[in-house]
C-alpha cells in the first residue's frame, strides 16, 4: 500500500520483495490532479557517452490525486506510441471506471494502476510504487 | 431419446474471399452444425483480402489482410488443407482427390475456385521479369524485381491494371500503362470519363499508351523491349500483366460439369451447377452468360448456396456491377449502363475542365429513370445516383441538379425517407432499409448497435452516411432523442452544461462534477468545462483549480509538436508588425535555435522550444511588447487583413485598422472551437474573408459581414449575413454572433457545422442577432463586454507568478533537459530527428 496514511511506513514492508525506497522529489513539486515529470537514475554524475538514451536515466511521470483512495501513481514518462516523453503532460481521465492518463499526443489511455494501454493491451508502461515520507516523495524500485 | 443425426460431408474447394464468406455464413446461419466440412486451399495461407491487395505495398502485412484464421477454422471444427489443391473430382463416386494423394468423399461439393489472371499469349510473356497481380506471392515477386528496376509496364488499363500501375509507382518506378482499347477502364467508363481519367493519371506521372497491341517481348541488353503492332516499341525493366481474369474452371471441365463457351461453370439461380450435388460460387461461376468479377456478387452467391444447404429461400438473380473507387487518388464511379447502350437512352453531361470533373447521367427517353452514370474526379453524388438507379426511383423534375455543383448548399442528397423499404443500403452484407428500420423498432437505439446487429456498413463502409441518416430519421420518427451527452460523466450536451454552469455560477470542475456529474471526469469533459469557465468567468487558465483540466497546449500555453517540444506564436494583430518587433522575433529564434515559419494566418511560428525554455522565451517576447497568440487554445486565432485603402489603389475602407480593432477585441475569448477572422478592404477579397468564421469585406458604404465560413478539412464558404454596416453595428453584430455561438454550440463544433445544424438556418440567425427575436442581444453583448474587460495576456501573468512557472520544469528534481528530444538541421534550420537518425546518433555516440 502506498497511500499516505497517517503514518506511512513503507520501510518495514515485506522483506523479500522489499523495494529500495529512494527520495525523488518534494511534496510541493507535485501538482494536484495532474502530472509532473521527474528524472530517475544517476542524476549526479555525467558519465561519458551516457547522456544519450541512457538506460540509467529516465523520466518518470508522477501523479497526485489528493482525497482519492490511492493518491500517488508513477509510470514511465515515455509514450511508446507517440515516441516522445510526454505522459506527465496528459489529462487524468476516467475511462470505463478505470483511472487512466490520456497521452497528449495521440490520446491513448494508459491505466495508472498498471500502465496497460486501454486501446492496445499489448502495450504497457512500467509502474513504480510511490509514497510520501513527510515532505519528501519516495519512489520504490527493485534493486 | 434423440437420434444423433448423421453429419453430411461438405467439401469446399477454394479458400478466397468468397469461399471464406461461404464458411462464415454457414456457421452463422446454421448454428447446429450438421456438416463435416473440409476446405481445400491451393495457397499457403487461408483467405485474405484481395480487394485491398495493393495495401500490401503501403505497409499492410499479410496478417493485416488475413480474413480466415487457422484457429478460427479449428474452432468451427472445419478441416483446412492449405497448400493442397484438389486435382480431380469423381462425380459418380462423389469423391475428390487432393494433390497430396488423399481421397475425400462428399455429400455436397462447393466450387469456389475463383479466377486466374489472363496473360495474352504474346511471344516472350514467360520471361522471368513478367508478372501477374493476383496473390501475395505475386506481389512479393514484383517487389523484389522492382528493387533493381527503373521502369515498369502494366499491360491492361482496367481497374486492376491501374491499381498495379499505382503499386509500381509507389515502388519508385517510372510506371507505364499499355492498353489495347482506345481508352482506360473501357468496361466501366464512357469516352469522356475515360479521357479525363487518362489526363489525371498522366498528370500524376504515369505514362499511358492506348490502342497498343503488344506483339513481342524480347530481352535486349538486360532490358525488356515491348514491340507494338505498327512498329512502336517501349523499353522497360519489368512487366505486370493485368489484362483481365478468366474463371478457374479446369477442374469442373475435367469432371464433365457444364461450362460456358468462353469459360465459367454454369450455375442456376440457386448457384447449383449441372450436377445438383455441386455448387459453384464467385468468379469461377457463370450466371446467365456473365462472370461477376466483384466481391459483392460473390458474397451474394455464397449466401445463396448456404441458403440451399440450410433450407432457406434465397436466390441469386445477378448483381449490380456499379463501382466507386479511388485509382491513383482519382475518384471514379460507374453505375449501371455507363455507356448508354439501352434503347432510347439519353444523357446529361457536366464537365468542369478546370476542376477536372466529369459527370454523366444516362436516363430513359423520358428522363424519368436513371439507367446509368459515369463520375470521374468527384464521386460525391455516387450514393444518391446509385439509389435512384437500384430502386428505380423517379428522377426529380430537373434531374441535372443531381450532378450540377450546388450553388448555395442546396444540392439535396437523396434522403432516407425517399427510399423504399426494399432498397439495399449495404451491398457488402446485403442489408435493406427495411431491415434497418426493423432493428431500430426492435430496440437498437444507437448507430453502433444497429451496425452490430445488422453488420451494415462494417464492410467497405461506403454506406455509412446513408445508414446514419436512416437510423437518425427513424429514431426521430419514433420520438427518441439522439444522444448528445458530453461523455460518460455528464448526461448533458455542452449547451446544457453551459447553462448549468452559468445559472449555478459554478466556478470549479469539482463543484460541477459533485452537483451535476458522476465519476471522476475525463479528457472530454474536463477541457470542455474549462472552456466554459473561461467563456463565462475568464479566470487565468493556470489557476490551481483549472490546471488538471487543460489539454497540454493550454497547460503550457504553447503547441505541443510530435517530439514533445513546443511551438511559440506571438500575437501579431491584423498581421501588422514593426521592424523592431520583427527583429526581436528573429533574435529570440536565433538565440534558442528555433525553426521559424510564417503561418497561413499572417503570424510567425517558432518551433522546437523545450518545455523549460518557454518562460524565458516569453519573457523576452513580453518585454518587447508581444502578447500570447492563443495558438494553443480553442479561442480567437488570427484576424487576417489585406492592406486596405491606406496603401492599395483598390481599397475602399481601412481594413488594417478594422482587423486590429477586431483582433484586439476578441483575443482571449474561449470558444467551442478555434475561431479565425479576416477583413478585406474591397471585393477583391485579398484576405480571403469568406473562408473564415467571421469575414468582413469593405464596400463603398461600409462593411459586409459574412459568417460561418471554414477552411480546413471540410471547407465551407461563409454566408453573407448583413450588408453595408457602419463600424459600431459591425462590432455589435460580431459580439452577438460569437457569444450566441459560444453559448449554444456543441463541443468542438465549428461555426460552419453549428450554423448548418441550427433549426431555421441563416434566417433564424438573422432574426436572433439583427431583430433580437429572443430578446437576448443585450445579454450577449454584456457577456462579451465582461470577457473583453477581463482580458489578460496569459503569458504575461504567468511569467510574473513563480507558482505558475513551476509547471514549466522538464524535471521537477533536476535542471537537465530531455535528452530524447533531438533536432537535426534541414535548409539551415532545426527539425525533429527521425527515429532512424536518433538511433544512428546513438550508435556513433
Amino acid at each position: 500500500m502506498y497511500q499516505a496514511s497517517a503514518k506511512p511506513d513503507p520501510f518495514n514492508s515485506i522483506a523479500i520483495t522489499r523495494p529500495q525506497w529512494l527520495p525523488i522529489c518534494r511534496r510541493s513539486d507535485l501538482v494536484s490532479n495532474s502530472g509532473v515529470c521527474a528524472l530517475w537514475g544517476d542524476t549526479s554524475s555525467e558519465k561519458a557517452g551516457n547522456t544519450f538514451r541512457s538506460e540509467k536515466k529516465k523520466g518518470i511521470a508522477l501523479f497526485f490525486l489528493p482525497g482519492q483512495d490511492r493518491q500517488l501513481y508513477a509510470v514511465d514518462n515515455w509514450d511508446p506510441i507517440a515516441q516522445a516523453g510526454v505522459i506527465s503532460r496528459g489529462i487524468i481521465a476516467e475511462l470505463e471506471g478505470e483511472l487512466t492518463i490520456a497521452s497528449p499526443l495521440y490520446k491513448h489511455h494508459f491505466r495508472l494502476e498498471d500502465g496497460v494501454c486501454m486501446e492496445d493491451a499489448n502495450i504497457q508502461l512500467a509502474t513504480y510504487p510511490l509514497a510520501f515520507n513527510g515532505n519528501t516523495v519516495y519512489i520504490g524500485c527493485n534493486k | 431419446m434423440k437420434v444423433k443425426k448423421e453429419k453430411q460431408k461438405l467439401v469446399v474447394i477454394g479458400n478466397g474471399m468468397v469461399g471464406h464468406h461461404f464458411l462464415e455464413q454457414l456457421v452463422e446461419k446454421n448454428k447446429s452444425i450438421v456438416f463435416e466440412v473440409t476446405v481445400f486451399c491451393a495457397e499457403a495461407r487461408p483467405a485474405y483480402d484481395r480487394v485491398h491487395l495493393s495495401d500490401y505495398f503501403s505497409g499492410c502485412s499479410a496478417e493485416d489482410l488475413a480474413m480466415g484464421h487457422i484457429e478460427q477454422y479449428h474452432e468451427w471444427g472445419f478441416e483446412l488443407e492449405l497448400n493442397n489443391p484438389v486435382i480431380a473430382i469423381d462425380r459418380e463416386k462423389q469423391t475428390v482427390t487432393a494433390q497430396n494423394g488423399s481421397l475425400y468423399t462428399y455429400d455436397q461439393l462447393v466450387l469456389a475456385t475463383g479466377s486466374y489472371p489472363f496473360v495474352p499469349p504474346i511471344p516472350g510473356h514467360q520471361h522471368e521479369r513478367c508478372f501477374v497481380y493476383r496473390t501475395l506471392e505475386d506481389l512479393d515477386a514484383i517487389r523484389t524485381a522492382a528493387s533493381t528496376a527503373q521502369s515498369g509496364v502494366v499491360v491492361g488499363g482496367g481497374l486492376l491494371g491501374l491499381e498495379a500501375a499505382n503499386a509500381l509507382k509507389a515502388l519508385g518506378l517510372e510506371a507505364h500503362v499499355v492498353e489495347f482499347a482506345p481508352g482506360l477502364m473501357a468496361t466501366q467508363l464512357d469516352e469522356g470519363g475515360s479521357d479525363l481519367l487518362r489526363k489525371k493519371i498522366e498528370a500524376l506521372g504515369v505514362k499511358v499508351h492506348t490502342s497498343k497491341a503488344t506483339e513481342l517481348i524480347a530481352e535486349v541488353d538486360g532490358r525488356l523491349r515491348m514491340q507494338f503492332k505498327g512498329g512502336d516499341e517501349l523499353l522497360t525493366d519489368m512487366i505486370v500483366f493485368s489484362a483481365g481474369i478468366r474463371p478457374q474452371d479446369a477442374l469442373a471441365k475435367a469432371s464433365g460439369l457444364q461450362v460456358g463457351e468462353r469459360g465459367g461453370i454454369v450455375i442456376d439461380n440457386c448457384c447449383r451447377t449441372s450436377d445438383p450435388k455441386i455448387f459453384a460460387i464467385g468468379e469461377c461461376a457463370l450466371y446467365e452468360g456473365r462472370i461477376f468479377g466483384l466481391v459483392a456478387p460473390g458474397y451474394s452467391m455464397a449466401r445463396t448456396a448456404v441458403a440451399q444447404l440450410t433450407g432457406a429461400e434465397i436466390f441469386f438473380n445477378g448483381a449490380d456491377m456499379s463501382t466507386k473507387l479511388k485509382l491513383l487518388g482519382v475518384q471514379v464511379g460507374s453505375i449501371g449502363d455507363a455507356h448508354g447502350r439501352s434503347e432510347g437512352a439519353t444523357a446529361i453531361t457536366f464537365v468542369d475542365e478546370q476542376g477536372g470533373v466529369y459527370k454523366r447521367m444516362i436516363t430513359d427517353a423520358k428522363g424519368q429513370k436513371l439507367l446509368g452514370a459515369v463520375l470521374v474526379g468527384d464521386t460525391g453524388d455516387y450514393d444518391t445516383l446509385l439509389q435512384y438507379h437500384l430502386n428505380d426511383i423517379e428522377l426529380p423534375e430537373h434531374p441535372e441538379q443531381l450532378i450540377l455543383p450546388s450553388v448555395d448548399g442546396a444540392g439535396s442528397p437523396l434522403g432516407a425517407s425517399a427510399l423504399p423499404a426494399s432498397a439495399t443500403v449495404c451491398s457488402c452484407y446485403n442489408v435493406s432499409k427495411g431491415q434497418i428500420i426493423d432493428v431500430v423498432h426492435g430496440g437498437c437505439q444507437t448507430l453502433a448497435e444497429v451496425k452490430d446487429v445488422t453488420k451494415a456498413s462494417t464492410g467497405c463502409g461506403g454506406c455509412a452516411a446513408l445508414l446514419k441518416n436512416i437510423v437518425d430519421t427513424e429514431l426521430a420518427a419514433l420520438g427518441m432523442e439522439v444522444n448528445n451527452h458530453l461523455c460518460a460523466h455528464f448526461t448533458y450536451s455542452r449547451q446544457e452544461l453551459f447553462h448549468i454552469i452559468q445559472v449555478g455560477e459554478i466556478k470549479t470542475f469539482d463543484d460541477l462534477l459533485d452537483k451535476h456529474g458522476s465519476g471522476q471526469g475525463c479528457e472530454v469533459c474536463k477541457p470542455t468545462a474549462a472552456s466554459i469557465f473561461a467563456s463565462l468567468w475568464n479566470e487565468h487558465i493556470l489557476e490551481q483549480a483549472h490546471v488538471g483540466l487543460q489539454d497540454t497546449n493550454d497547460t503550457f500555453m504553447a503547441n505541443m509538436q510530435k517530439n514533445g517540444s513546443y511551438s511559440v506564436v506571438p500575437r501579431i494583430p491584423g498581421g501588422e508588425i514593426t521592424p523592431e518587433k520583427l527583429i526581436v522575433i528573429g533574435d529570440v529564434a536565433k538565440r534558442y535555435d528555433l525553426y521559424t515559419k510564417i503561418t497561413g494566418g499572417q503570424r510567425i511560428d517558432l518551433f522546437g522550444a523545450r518545455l523549460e525554455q518557454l518562460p524565458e522565451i516569453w519573457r523576452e517576447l513580453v518585454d518587447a511588447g508581444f502578447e500570447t497568440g492563443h495558438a494553443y487554445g480553442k479561442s480567437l486565432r488570427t484576424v487576417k487583413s489585406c492592406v486596405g485603402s491606406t496603401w492599395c489603389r483598390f481599397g475602399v475602407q481601412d481594413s488594417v485598422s478594422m482587423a486590429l480593432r477586431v483582433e484586439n477585441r476578441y483575443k482571449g475569448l474561449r470558444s467551442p472551437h478555434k475561431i479565425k477572422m479576416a477583413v478585406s478592404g474591397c471585393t477583391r477579397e485579398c484576405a480571403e474573408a469568406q473562408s473564415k468564421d467571421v469575414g468582413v469585406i469593405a464596400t463603398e458604404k461600409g462593411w459586409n459581414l459574412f459568417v460561418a465560413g471554414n477552411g480546413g478539412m471540410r471547407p465551407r464558404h461563409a454566408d453573407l449575413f448583413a450588408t453595408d454596416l457602419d463600424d459600431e453595428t459591425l462590432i455589435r453584430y460580431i459580439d452577438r454572433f460569437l457569444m450566441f455561438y459560444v453559448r449554444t454550440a456543441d463541443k468542438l463544433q465549428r461555426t460552419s457545422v453549428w450554423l448548418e445544424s441550427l433549426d431555421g438556418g441563416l434566417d433564424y440567425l438573422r432574426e436572433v442577432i439583427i431583430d433580437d427575436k429572443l430578446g437576448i442581444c443585450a445579454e450577449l453583448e454584456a457577456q462579451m463586454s465582461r470577457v473583453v474587460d477581463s482580458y489578460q495576456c496569459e503569458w504575461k501573468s504567468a511569467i510574473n507568478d513563480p507558482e505558475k512557472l513551476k509547471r514549466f520544469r522538464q524535471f521537477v528534481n533536476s535542471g537537465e533537459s530531455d535528452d530524447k528530444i533531438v533536432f537535426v538541421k534541414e535548409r539551415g534550420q532545426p527539425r525533429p530527428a527521425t527515429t532512424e537518425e536518433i538511433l544512428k546518433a546513438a550508435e556513433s555516440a
Side-chain angles (χ1 to χ4, degrees):
Chain A
M1 291 286 103
Y2 311 112
Q3 62 216 29
S5 55
K7 273 192 180 167
D9 194 11
F11 301 96
N12 290 325
S13 50
I14 315 152
I16 303 162
T17 58
R18 169 168 113 180
Q20 191 187 4
W21 290 92
L22 293 163
I24 186 159
C25 67
R26 287 162 302 161
R27 190 181 178 120
S28 58
D29 289 327
L30 301 178
V31 177
S32 298
N33 299 307
S34 188
V36 297
C37 182
L39 189 63
W40 181 237
D42 187 4
T43 58
S44 52
S45 65
E46 283 285 330
K47 286 180 189 153
N50 212 10
T51 50
F52 189 75
R53 290 219 148 216
S54 159
E55 282 307 308
K56 289 189 176 165
K57 274 198 225 172
K58 63 173 159 184
I60 295 185
L62 314 176
F63 300 95
F64 178 33
L65 297 140
Q68 302 273 340
D69 289 344
R70 177 174 164 186
Q71 52 181 358
L72 288 177
Y73 293 90
V75 302
D76 270 347
N77 191 48
W78 184 256
D79 177 345
I81 297 165
Q83 291 287 307
V86 296
I87 293 294
S88 64
R89 298 180 226 160
I91 292 183
I92 297 170
E94 183 191 324
L95 181 71
E96 293 162 18
E98 311 262 13
L99 267 188
T100 70
I101 179 73
S103 171
L105 274 168
Y106 300 116
K107 318 295 178 196
H108 293 88
H109 298 81
F110 297 93
R111 193 154 55 202
L112 285 179
E113 195 181 358
D114 56 9
V116 169
C117 176
M118 303 288 277
E119 284 81 14
D120 182 353
N122 296 318
I123 299 171
Q124 187 174 13
L125 306 179
T127 58
Y128 310 85
L130 211 60
F132 286 130
N133 185 16
N135 281 326
T136 307
V137 181
Y138 277 76
I139 188 167
C141 54
N142 295 309
K143 267 262 164 164
Chain B
M1 210 179 97
K2 230 176 171 180
V3 180
K4 201 180 170 196
K5 218 168 161 184
E6 180 72 15
K7 278 192 178 181
Q8 281 211 58
K9 289 193 171 77
L10 176 66
V11 167
V12 181
I13 305 178
N15 191 235
M17 295 176 79
V18 170
H20 177 68
H21 190 73
F22 169 83
L23 296 167
E24 263 186 344
Q25 289 292 308
L26 186 71
V27 174
E28 191 169 314
K29 302 284 184 243
N30 186 50
K31 303 292 182 197
S32 58
I33 295 190
V34 287
F35 294 101
E36 190 182 305
V37 180
T38 309
V39 184
F40 291 93
C41 178
E43 286 189 54
R45 54 172 68 82
Y48 54 89
D49 184 353
R50 240 186 269 273
V51 173
H52 295 101
L53 195 60
S54 294
D55 293 352
Y56 190 54
F57 282 137
S58 50
C60 234
S61 67
E63 182 55 32
D64 293 333
L65 293 173
M67 303 182 77
H69 291 275
I70 296 172
E71 301 76 36
Q72 178 70 76
Y73 281 46
H74 283 323
E75 223 169 87
W76 288 337
F78 295 170
E79 198 177 325
L80 177 64
E81 291 284 324
L82 291 176
N83 248 335
N84 193 16
V86 167
I87 52 168
I89 302 169
D90 185 333
R91 294 200 286 132
E92 219 150 90
K93 294 191 185 125
Q94 292 185 207
T95 60
V96 301
T97 311
Q99 194 173 51
N100 70 356
S102 0
L103 196 72
Y104 293 78
T105 58
Y106 65 81
D107 297 308
Q108 305 277 351
L109 179 64
V110 176
L111 298 170
T113 47
S115 63
Y116 62 90
F118 168 65
V119 177
I122 303 162
H125 73 268
Q126 284 149 323
H127 192 277
E128 57 176 14
R129 293 180 79 84
C130 290
F131 304 90
V132 293
Y133 200 85
R134 174 76 186 175
T135 66
L136 287 172
E137 280 71 25
D138 294 335
L139 267 60
D140 283 332
I142 289 171
R143 197 200 309 256
T144 307
S147 64
T148 56
Q150 298 288 321
S151 94
V153 171
V154 174
V155 177
L159 204 148
L160 194 63
L162 295 177
E163 209 175 286
N166 189 34
L168 291 185
K169 202 168 149 270
L171 289 169
L173 304 191
E174 180 189 294
H176 297 259
V177 172
V178 172
E179 166 61 46
F180 178 74
L184 296 173
M185 283 186 76
T187 322
Q188 292 90 353
L189 301 182
D190 63 353
E191 205 183 314
S194 177
D195 284 351
L196 178 61
L197 178 65
R198 178 196 181 121
K199 274 189 204 138
K200 286 189 164 246
I201 284 174
E202 284 177 333
L204 292 165
V206 174
K207 302 205 166 42
V208 179
H209 315 263
T210 50
S211 300
K212 287 270 181 283
T214 315
E215 286 187 322
L216 178 71
I217 296 168
E219 191 174 329
V220 183
D221 300 332
R223 303 197 78 191
L224 294 176
R225 189 175 71 203
M226 297 175 77
Q227 211 160 292
F228 302 124
K229 195 171 173 185
D232 295 354
E233 53 180 56
L234 181 60
L235 271 179
T236 187
D237 301 310
M238 58 188 290
I239 297 170
V240 178
F241 286 102
S242 183
I245 54 161
R246 293 290 183 268
Q248 187 68 266
D249 58 5
L251 198 57
K253 211 186 264 176
S255 65
L257 287 175
Q258 190 190 342
V259 294
E261 254 175 57
R262 290 186 301 174
I265 309 162
V266 174
I267 56 167
D268 63 9
N269 66 353
C270 299
C271 293
R272 279 187 211 275
T273 64
S274 53
D275 179 337
K277 292 204 170 337
I278 304 179
F279 294 87
I281 54 178
E283 290 178 342
C284 63
L286 186 73
Y287 176 73
E288 292 191 339
R290 284 179 79 183
I291 296 285
F292 295 86
L294 291 177
V295 75
Y299 280 8
S300 179
M301 291 183 202
R303 285 190 291 266
T304 305
V306 168
Q308 294 304 316
L309 292 172
T310 58
E313 281 206 5
I314 297 177
F315 301 100
F316 181 77
N317 296 310
D320 181 68
M321 296 295 279
S322 302
T323 43
K324 175 173 76 168
L325 51 137
K326 225 173 170 179
L327 287 168
L328 293 122
V330 182
Q331 297 183 356
V332 178
S334 164
I335 293 172
D337 179 11
H339 294 274
R341 289 178 184 136
S342 315
E343 209 184 307
T346 62
I348 303 170
T349 312
F350 166 79
V351 186
D352 171 3
E353 287 193 9
Q354 206 167 24
V357 176
Y358 176 90
K359 302 180 189 178
R360 185 176 170 90
M361 290 166 70
I362 316 293
T363 69
D364 63 355
K366 289 180 184 164
Q368 288 174 339
K369 293 283 158 70
L370 186 73
L371 304 176
V374 173
L375 305 167
V376 177
D378 174 10
T379 50
D381 303 320
Y382 178 87
D383 294 352
T384 301
L385 293 174
L386 184 64
Q387 290 301 333
Y388 273 105
H389 170 62
L390 291 181
N391 298 299
D392 259 342
I393 298 169
E394 191 161 323
L395 288 166
E397 200 183 335
H398 299 288
E400 66 276 9
Q401 281 174 347
L402 293 173
I403 54 169
L404 288 178
S406 58
V407 183
D408 48 359
S412 52
L414 194 60
S417 44
L419 295 177
S422 61
T424 301
V425 174
C426 170
S427 44
C428 294
Y429 287 95
N430 195 28
V431 186
S432 69
K433 178 183 163 189
Q435 285 170 281
I436 294 164
I437 292 175
D438 284 349
V439 301
V440 171
H441 286 236
C444 286
Q445 294 189 10
T446 64
L447 191 59
E449 284 176 274
V450 173
K451 277 173 143 180
D452 212 39
V453 173
T454 62
K455 282 196 144 189
S457 187
T458 58
C460 74
C463 62
L466 185 60
L467 177 69
K468 184 175 183 321
N469 189 336
I470 293 172
V471 172
D472 285 353
T473 308
E474 215 44 42
L475 284 173
L478 287 173
M480 279 190 268
E481 242 181 86
V482 181
N483 183 330
N484 58 359
H485 295 172
L486 197 60
C487 64
H489 307 107
F490 290 97
T491 56
Y492 301 105
S493 68
R494 179 189 177 275
Q495 186 185 355
E496 289 166 334
L497 215 56
F498 192 101
H499 292 146
I500 287 170
I501 293 172
Q502 185 178 33
V503 173
E505 291 191 25
I506 295 170
K507 307 252 164 108
T508 68
F509 186 74
D510 285 348
D511 201 14
L512 180 67
L513 197 63
D514 241 23
K515 289 182 180 147
H516 304 283
S518 63
Q520 310 197 55
C522 65
E523 81 280 14
V524 174
C525 58
K526 283 178 175 179
T528 304
S531 161
I532 297 174
F533 293 144
S535 297
L536 282 170
W537 323 123
N538 216 12
E539 291 176 335
H540 197 285
I541 52 167
L542 293 191
E543 286 306 322
Q544 188 57 43
H546 307 319
V547 160
L549 309 180
Q550 313 289 351
D551 278 317
T552 187
N553 288 2
D554 275 312
T555 308
F556 299 104
M557 302 187 294
N559 293 39
M560 181 183 268
Q561 304 301 334
K562 65 182 191 183
N563 62 353
S565 68
Y566 287 86
S567 67
V568 168
V569 189
R571 191 168 284 288
I572 302 178
E576 185 183 77
I577 188 164
T578 61
E580 287 75 21
K581 280 192 168 177
L582 264 181
I583 289 167
V584 171
I585 292 185
D587 273 345
V588 169
K590 216 166 142 185
R591 184 145 45 251
Y592 295 94
D593 198 13
L594 304 174
Y595 169 82
T596 312
K597 186 170 195 316
I598 312 275
T599 71
Q602 299 182 335
R603 307 206 280 196
I604 300 171
D605 210 342
L606 308 172
F607 287 84
R610 293 163 184 277
L611 182 63
E612 69 274 13
Q613 293 176 324
L614 289 172
E616 335 165 19
I617 290 173
W618 271 104
R619 192 176 295 282
E620 293 193 33
L621 292 171
V622 167
D623 282 348
F626 283 106
E627 294 186 321
T628 175
H630 291 100
Y632 45 83
K634 297 293 178 230
S635 48
L636 177 75
R637 295 287 174 88
T638 59
V639 180
K640 193 173 174 183
S641 72
C642 63
V643 293
S645 56
T646 322
W647 291 88
C648 172
R649 62 200 161 109
F650 298 113
V652 294
Q653 303 281 350
D654 181 0
S655 57
V656 179
S657 295
M658 182 50 79
L660 277 159
R661 180 170 174 190
V662 171
E663 181 152 357
N664 282 319
R665 182 167 181 81
Y666 302 112
K667 65 189 175 189
L669 172 71
R670 288 291 204 282
S671 45
H673 209 290
K674 64 183 172 193
I675 301 171
K676 293 181 182 179
M677 305 192 191
V679 183
S680 278
C682 75
T683 51
R684 281 173 186 75
E685 249 282 71
C686 293
E688 298 170 311
Q690 289 177 86
S691 63
K692 304 293 190 283
D693 299 278
V694 175
V696 179
I697 301 176
T699 69
E700 291 186 343
K701 295 180 213 147
W703 305 101
N704 280 355
L705 174 60
F706 290 76
V707 296
N710 193 71
M713 288 216 296
R714 245 195 73 201
R716 180 187 192 276
H717 256 156
D719 288 313
L720 179 59
F721 184 73
T723 54
D724 301 329
L725 306 173
D726 59 58
D727 290 8
E728 299 318 311
T729 312
L730 174 72
I731 297 291
R732 201 167 341 122
Y733 284 178
I734 300 176
D735 272 7
R736 295 173 183 178
F737 170 76
L738 285 179
M739 205 35 94
F740 189 47
Y741 161 66
V742 166
R743 289 179 66 154
T744 61
D746 210 344
K747 73 175 151 94
L748 297 182
Q749 190 175 38
R750 294 172 184 271
T751 54
S752 54
V753 182
W754 170 71
L755 177 62
E756 278 166 8
S757 67
L758 212 57
D759 239 349
L762 193 66
D763 288 336
Y764 174 71
L765 194 64
R766 282 203 191 98
E767 286 169 13
V768 172
I769 286 168
I770 300 178
D771 308 334
D772 200 8
K773 182 187 180 185
L774 304 179
I776 56 170
C777 285
E779 200 191 317
L780 294 176
E781 284 175 35
Q783 202 180 335
M784 184 59 85
S785 295
R786 278 197 295 277
V787 172
V788 172
D789 294 342
S790 59
Y791 170 80
Q792 54 179 321
C793 169
E794 286 160 352
W795 264 112
K796 191 173 182 175
S797 317
I799 55 177
N800 292 319
D801 183 343
E803 263 313 297
K804 289 187 179 121
L805 286 184
K806 275 175 62 181
R807 287 295 269 153
F808 294 88
R809 291 179 291 176
Q810 171 61 42
F811 301 112
V812 291
N813 58 346
S814 158
E816 284 184 44
S817 40
D818 185 352
D819 64 7
K820 297 210 172 55
I821 299 183
V822 184
F823 296 104
V824 295
K825 291 269 162 150
E826 187 170 301
R827 294 185 294 276
Q829 294 209 77
R831 66 152 168 85
T834 62
T835 313
E836 290 75 46
E837 286 165 340
I838 293 175
L839 290 175
K840 224 169 143 189
E843 272 166 28
S844 61

